[in-house]
Every structure is written in C-alpha cells, then in structure tokens.
Amino acid sequence: MRYRVLGPVHMTPRTPSAAKPRAVLATLLVQRNTVVSTHTLIDELWGAQPPRTATTTLQVYVSQLRKALLEGTDGAGARPGAAQPLLTRPPGYLMRVAPEELDLAVFESLRAEGRAAYGRGEYEAASRALGRALGLWTGPALSGIPHGPSLETSAIRLNELRAEVLEQRISADLRLGLHQELVGELMALAHEHPLRETLHCHLMVALYRSGRQSDALQVYQQARRSLVEELGVEPGPVLSRLQERILASDPSLARHGGPERRLATADGPGDRPAGAAPGGPDRESAGGGRAAGPTVWLPPTVADFTGREDQLAAGERLLADDTAGRSRVLVVSGRAGAGKTALAVRLAHGAADRFPDGRILVSLRDAGGPAMEPRTAMATLLRRLRGRKAPGAGGDEDSTPLPSSEAELAELLHRAAGGRRTLIVLDDAVSEAQVRPVLSALPDSTVIVTSRQVLGALESVRQLTLDVLSAAEAEALLAVCGGQRMRDDAEAAAEIARLCGRLPLALRVAAAGLAARPHWTAAGLARRLRDERTRLAALALGDLDVRSTLLTAYHDVDEEARHAFRMLALAPLPDFAPWTATALLGTDPARAERLTERLVQAHLLQARRRPGRLAPVRYGFHALLRSLALDVLAEESPREGHAAVARLCRAYLAAARCADAQLAPGRDRLAHDGEPVAGIRPEEMVGRAPLRWFQEESAGLSEAVRQAHAAGLWRLCCALASAASGYYEAGALWDEWEATHDLALDAARTAGDAHAEAVILRSLGDLAWQRHRTGQAVERYRLAGDLFTRHGDRAAAGRCLSAEADALLAMGQLARAGRGYARALSVSRLADDVRGAAESLRGLALVAQREGRHEEALARLEECEDAARRAGDHRWTEYARRTALALRLALGSGQSAAAASIPLEVRPGVWLFHPVRPGRRAA
C-alpha cells in the first residue's frame, strides 16, 4: 500500500518530514477522490487565526507533496510517465487514490466483508477478514500530526471503527470455540479500555467457558467499579444480565463440544528438524586429543533478552545454511552497548543441534582493554577445542606447550578444527587484521564475529548491523528489567527509552538503577536523565558504566578520528550535511569526508540516506555518543571548540545570505566582514534551490544563532538571524523567528551595535505585524527607524516608515497610512533606494485602491513594477504585475465597488484576510 493513515501518517517512497505537509496529506487522503477546499485546509492547519501567508504557505506544502508523490521507489527523481495524483480543482485540491493504495480503503472493504460473513454465520471467514483489517493498523489513527477540526473528527471515528471491528472479531472467535486462546488478549484489552462493556462481556464469557467462573465474576466487579468511579453509572443491562447467568451457571453459556470450524492459519511455521548429527567415537588429532562429547565454552544467555527477532532470524538462517560455497562467517557489527555479544551468545545457545562437536566463544580483547594478538586468540581457541582450561581459570591444564609461531598455531588449529561441526564466536574484534589469520585457520567451522567496527575488508562474509532497538522493544526491555514501577508508568518508560537512545546497555543500566533504588520512581529517573550534560553520569551502576563502554570505542580509533569526533559534537541536531563537517574540522571537503566515514565505520557516527535532498547523505550522532563527544571536547579540546563554532556560523551565514539573495534581492541584511571559511562554497551548497536549502537547514541555522550567542559571537549572531528572517517570514515560522531574533537583539545591545539593533527591531516589527499585533509592530518600526536615522542609514529609515504604514493600513487608518507611504517614498528617493521606493509606491497604490481612486492605483503599480525591475527583484516585479492585473479584471467587470474591496496582497505572498474598509478596524 502506498498511503497509510491507520497509525502514523505515511507515504511511500518518502513521507514529508514536517508535520504540516503531512497534515495536508492526511486531510486529502481521508477525503480522497473529492475536492477539499483551500479554506478547509487552512482551517485544518491554523484554525481561527491563520498567518497572513497562509495561502502561499499552503501552496508550498502542496508543491512539496507533489514532488514527493512523483518520486521513484528509490527516492531519486520523478518516475518516468508517472501521473500526478494531487490535482488542483477549484476551490481547492483533489487527491486521486485507488482503493488498493490506501490502508483505510482496504480496511473498510475487509470490515464490510467480515460483517457480511458474520451475518451469514460464517464465523471462520468473518474472523479471518476482520483480523486482516485489524492487521492494517500500526497505531492510533492519523497519529504524528497536528489535528484540526476535520482530522480530529476523523481520528475519533476511525479509532471507534477499529474498536468495533476488534469486538466483532473476538465475538467470531468465541463462536469458533477459541475461548482459552482469547483470555490473555481480552484481559489486556479490558485493562486498556476499562469502560467498554462489550470487551468485559467477552472476557467473562471466555473465562466462564475456560472453567474460571470466579474470575469471570471478578471481572464484572472490576468493570462495575470503573463505571461507578469514572462515570457514576451502573453497568448496562447486557453486562448485568451476563453476571446473573454466570451466577446461575446458565448451561446455555457453556460451549458443548469443539468448534465446528477452526481459524485457518496462513504461513505458519513448519516443524524444524533437529538436524543433530550422530556422535562418533573419540578421534585423535595431530594437535592433541579431543575431549569426548561436545566442547561448550559459552557464557550463559541473557535471561531477559528482548527484541531483535529479525536479526536472530537472519543469524539462524546463516547457521542453518549448509549450501556449498556459501559463506559460513557472520560479522555482527554495531556501536558499543548495542547487544552484539548477547545476540551472538543467544544464537550459539540455540544452535546446539546443528553443532554437535562444540560451540566456543573467545573474547578478542583482554580484560584490561587492549586487543588480543591473533596468535594469542588461536592459542586460546586450541586449548578450548582440546578441552583444557583457559589460562588463569584454575584447575588442571595440559602441560604440552604450544608453539609461539603464528603459522604453526594456525596449522594446529586447522587440523584440530577440521572435520568438526563447531560454531566459533570471536567476540569484540577490533580490526580485519586481527581476525583474518584466525578465520583462515577455520575453513570448516561456522564463525560469528562481533565488532564495533564495520569489518568491510573481510572477504566472503555476511554482514549484520545492529542498530538501536525499536521504541516498542526498548520499552519492553525496560518493563522486563525495571520491575513493577517501570511497568506502572508507561509514559515515563517511553521517555527513558528515548533519552537512552534505545541503546540496550543504557536501557539495562537505567532499569537496574531503578530496581536497585526502591525509593525512586520511573518519572524521577526520567527527570535525572533529561540533562544531556549529566546523562552519562546517571547511567552507571556498579561495574555497569555506559560512559566507560562508549569511551572504549572512542579510544579504538586513531587521534585524527578522535579529534573529528570531538569537533563534530558541535554540529546541529538532528543531523548535518557534509559541508558542516568541512567547516567544523577546518579542512578541505575530501579530508572531512574521509574522517566522517571513518567514524561511521567505527559506529561512532551515523550516515543517514536522505534521497532527494541537496545533500543525499547526512550524518548524525546517537544521543549518548553526542553526550560523550561533548564531554571529551570539554576535557581535551576546550579552546578548539570556540574556533570551530565560529567557522560553522560563518559557513551558515555565507550559505544563508546566498540563498536569501536569490529569494529576495535587495532585502535588508546585516553585513558581516568575517573571513570566508576554507572549503565552503555557498553557490555549490545552495545551487538554484534556495528555498530547499532553507527548508533542509532551518533547524541547523536556528542552532547556529544559539551557538553564536552562547559563544559571545555577537555580530555573527545578529547577521545569522538577519539572513534567516526572510525565510522565517515566507515559511510562517513564527516561533523560530522570535527565538532567534530575541537572541540577536540581546547580542546587538550587548555589543553596543546600534545599526544591528535597528535591523533586528525592524524584523521583529515584521513578525509582530504578521501575528496581527499591529500596535507592537508600529512601536518596533518607530524604534528601528530612529536608530537608523541616528546611524545615518536613510534608506533603511525610509523602509521602516513604509512598514509602519503597512501596520496602519491593516488597522484601517487609510489616511495616516497614505501619509506614511508618501514620507517613505520621499526618503527612499533622497537615499536613491530603488527597492525602498518600490515598497512605498506599492503602499500608495493600495491606499488609492481602497479609497476608490483606481486609475491612480494602477499608475502607482506601474511605477512600483518599474522600480522593482530596476532593483533586480523578480519577486516584487511579478507582485506589482499581478496586483495590477487583479485590479484591471475587477474594473473590467464593471464593478468599481468590488474593485475597492478585493482582497489585498499587501506584500508578495502576504495577504490581509479580512480587508478593512475606511473607518473600520482590521480583523
């Protein structure tokens, strides 16, 4: 299926990452194949107070969706000949969706099929269809997006339909005689939905038919207690009557005989053959006698091992594959603490029947941490194959000395392991060079190698990478290890899982810490983990120390890679483009790429594919590894961090100014005289896609403003905020706009930079105007204008006058607005500011239009178009042209009164939704 709304909203091959485009997609999918009006979508996204740029912003979201809808399955480019399913149909948009493409449509079809079968008494078919319908759900309907009135209504309806289908499927299963199989599921559902009487009825019937009459009556009491305490009502007649029938041991409740039709199971697992080879008499080898029976040298399996079903299945397939010529070596790699050893040990314990001659684990790292030499590893393996004790383990040892030569040890190991069905686990390998000699000596053995590195240079091996656990697996592990307090607070457990980055070791340490402290709560533990600066310190208990484990992986790489690890901790979250590494490392792009890829191979950094983006591969840290990187940066390179932040901020500034210059030539932007960053080429980074660059780097740009402020880079902080303001306005990103500019205003005042303060105040005035806070906007424009005047910047002061007049126009004060535009035009012409003159002429045209002076309005718009063209601003040129065209069309219809009241596009893409007539206040 291409589209999913029965759970988190999802679309293949790529779902938009921003929430609002996903909300547009969801609204169109729920109302598929019908026209959804623009007003409905605006109301869904912004409610009763849409931004002035709502229509333009909605068009941007639709454009993003259309591009994603035409991407190929690999996410790279449009599919040849693909038809666009998202169409413009007045007064809005229509989404063409085939029934088989949408999970909701398939769900509705299966629901109807199941209900029909139930009505015919075909309970097996009903259960099968209804079960398939429920299998389409992956979470609460339409989750992961903000809900307006339409989506909220749809989500409630769909979740109720899900519950109805679930209840009918259970009813069908009860009629099939599956009461015992249903008890566990019904208990969980009754606990989750304590006020749904139908579920309690089903549970009581299932328990009664399973011979648990007292438990069935207890369920009734629990249901009654919930209803009385929560709603103040007694159980309904159906539930009450069922209790009476159970008390009376009504024989009609009992099911006599087996079910007439059993539920069919598809794709059920077959019986697995034992596959154990018969043992033979003891044999002798050239390397010494073999112990009778299998040699098992494994640590115990983790009793509460949780999750990893897919990885275990992949490992089991390898162990079971006896195909000639297929690799018998599995490399399990992953970051420190991912559970590689636990997985390998579990695979080894579960494979006893396939390896009757032995299963042996050898750790390739000494207790103190250094890597074991290959000859030491082979000697250890030889001793274990011969049935001896490991050195220092106590007990008797074979006194026969082993050769010290690596070649002789390899020959002995080859002869000792030859012809034997053994499984060898080489745990915690540090490099290909360490394990290659050992693997060469074990051609007949199946081998599992675990490593924190991606051992990509090993020949003829299969690779299995362990990432973090899924959210559900992480929470399940916390529940198993953390005890009842963890299980009782699901919200806190979910937060702990997120703060631990779902890393198995961190989850175990967190859960063990809670279990060891009876006076702690799960919520209290989550609170202790929230501070990134102290999180690693909180994840330590006895000899379990997450920081020490991660630090071992850090020390496994060379100093050049460690330096890169420290510097890249300063990159913005959640991930960053390759040019960010170039800036932070202060090197050329090729060397920066080599270092980042080296960290990826060591699982200290993640490479994340982002098809369709300007940077198709981006990099990011696991949350705990970023905490470690910040720790070691503060300990080992505190002075280098400041210079790296400055380089990063200058790189962001160069790219943001390049992008903004393409979006809006002539916009006020603070100049900055810092040196360019070596290796950073803004024109290549931005290309001809300035809006896409801003969209992809918006989070990083905001973080750069914060970092510049924290580092005391005052002028850089102001310049960054100024360069981003145009995008924040175009994208209606009010919160980011305010947060960055508040910091920039503080930076300008701290630095005593009056001109920077004026530029930031002017931008904050625009923000207030966009938020309909016209009084605040006027105040900020005037403050900014005074500062510009004192600084001698007449052009900027004139633009402040024009902006102040915009606010007065929105307040319905046409006469004052007209005088303001006239003053602004005079100042702009004296300052030879063509772009400022275009803004003022546009304002005079709007006032003339509102007052019915249409010919004057058209003349002013022609002057505005000419000025914008001379300024080289295509956006304002097109704005003046389309505004004049709209006015001419209104006049051409013979309705001059209508021409005075058509909606006002007061700036490019910025509208007054409720235009004010003279003497009335703006809405």
Side-chain angles (χ1 to χ4, degrees), residues 687-717:
R688 303 303 300 169
L691 183 60
R692 280 183 59 198
W693 185 88
F694 271 121
Q695 290 168 341
E696 292 176 13
E697 298 295 343
S698 176
L701 190 54
S702 299
E703 178 61 23
V705 173
R706 286 188 283 272
Q707 286 186 313
H709 186 273
L713 302 168
W714 308 126
R715 287 180 170 81
L716 198 50
C717 176

Side-chain angles (χ1 to χ4, degrees), residues 490-501:
E491 183 177 350
E495 184 179 7
I496 292 167
R498 179 180 59 80
L499 293 172
C500 290

Side-chain angles (χ1 to χ4, degrees), residues 851-872:
E851 293 181 340
R853 294 178 279 114
H854 304 309
E855 294 303 322
E856 179 184 341
L858 288 170
R860 291 295 191 182
L861 286 169
E862 287 181 8
E863 292 181 73
C864 173
E865 181 182 345
D866 179 65
R869 187 180 297 109
R870 284 186 285 124

Side-chain angles (χ1 to χ4, degrees), residues 645-715:
V645 167
R647 288 194 301 272
L648 176 65
C649 291
R650 293 204 311 273
Y652 262 112
L653 178 61
R657 289 175 65 84
C658 176
D660 194 51
Q662 293 185 53
L663 286 177
R667 195 201 308 277
D668 289 333
R669 287 183 296 272
L670 273 174
H672 188 266
D673 300 327
E675 296 181 3
V677 181
I680 296 297
R681 300 175 181 85
E683 296 78 11
E684 294 181 9
M685 292 155 52
V686 176
R688 303 303 300 169
L691 183 60
R692 280 183 59 198
W693 185 88
F694 271 121
Q695 290 168 341
E696 292 176 13
E697 298 295 343
S698 176
L701 190 54
S702 299
E703 178 61 23
V705 173
R706 286 188 283 272
Q707 286 186 313
H709 186 273
L713 302 168
W714 308 126
R715 287 180 170 81

Side-chain angles (χ1 to χ4, degrees), residues 629-641:
L630 290 171
D631 279 358
V632 293
L633 173 64
E635 294 169 3
E636 301 177 25
S637 309
R639 295 183 180 178
E640 291 183 79

Side-chain angles (χ1 to χ4, degrees), residues 162-356:
R162 181 189 190 184
E164 172 205 300
V165 169
L166 176 62
E167 290 173 351
Q168 190 162 34
R169 193 226 78 207
I170 291 171
S171 179
D173 287 349
L174 284 172
R175 290 180 178 273
L176 289 167
L178 302 177
H179 37 270
Q180 290 185 334
E181 293 91 333
L182 287 169
V183 168
E185 178 185 7
L186 281 168
M187 282 184 169
L189 289 169
H191 178 75
E192 184 179 354
H193 305 285
L195 303 181
R196 291 194 76 92
E197 294 188 35
T198 303
L199 289 174
H200 289 91
C201 286
H202 287 332
L203 176 56
M204 290 169 67
V205 170
L207 288 168
Y208 181 77
R209 290 180 178 174
S210 300
R212 299 168 61 179
Q213 182 179 16
S214 60
D215 289 339
L217 294 171
Q218 183 65 31
V219 168
Y220 173 82
Q221 294 300 329
Q222 291 171 349
R224 180 182 179 278
R225 189 179 307 114
S226 297
L227 290 166
V228 171
E229 291 177 355
E230 295 290 329
L231 304 178
V233 298
E234 290 289 336
V238 175
L239 187 59
S240 299
R241 176 59 183 150
L242 180 59
Q243 182 219 19
E244 295 170 1
R245 294 173 67 191
I246 291 174
L247 284 169
S249 298
D250 186 340
S252 64
L253 274 179
R255 184 175 184 88
H256 303 288
E260 296 177 6
R261 289 163 286 185
R262 297 290 296 178
L263 204 65
T265 58
D267 303 324
D271 293 331
R272 180 178 297 167
D282 292 347
R283 295 170 288 176
E284 297 295 321
S285 75
R290 293 178 178 169
T295 302
V296 179
W297 197 298
L298 293 173
T301 188
V302 177
D304 48 16
F305 188 94
T306 302
R308 302 289 194 205
E309 284 85 1
D310 291 343
Q311 293 86 351
L312 283 169
E316 288 167 357
R317 284 195 297 271
L318 168 71
L319 299 182
D321 189 355
D322 292 329
T323 306
R326 294 297 299 273
S327 171
R328 301 177 67 82
V329 180
L330 174 67
V331 176
V332 181
S333 62
R335 63 176 59 87
K340 302 177 293 297
T341 302
L343 180 83
V345 169
R346 192 169 187 86
L347 284 170
H349 276 287
D353 55 341
R354 298 191 187 96
F355 301 99

Side-chain angles (χ1 to χ4, degrees), residues 5-9 103 134-144 155 158-159 162:
V5 296
L6 303 181
V9 176
D103 59 355
L134 293 169
L136 296 168
W137 287 74
T138 58
L142 301 165
S143 54
L158 292 175
N159 287 324
R162 181 189 190 184

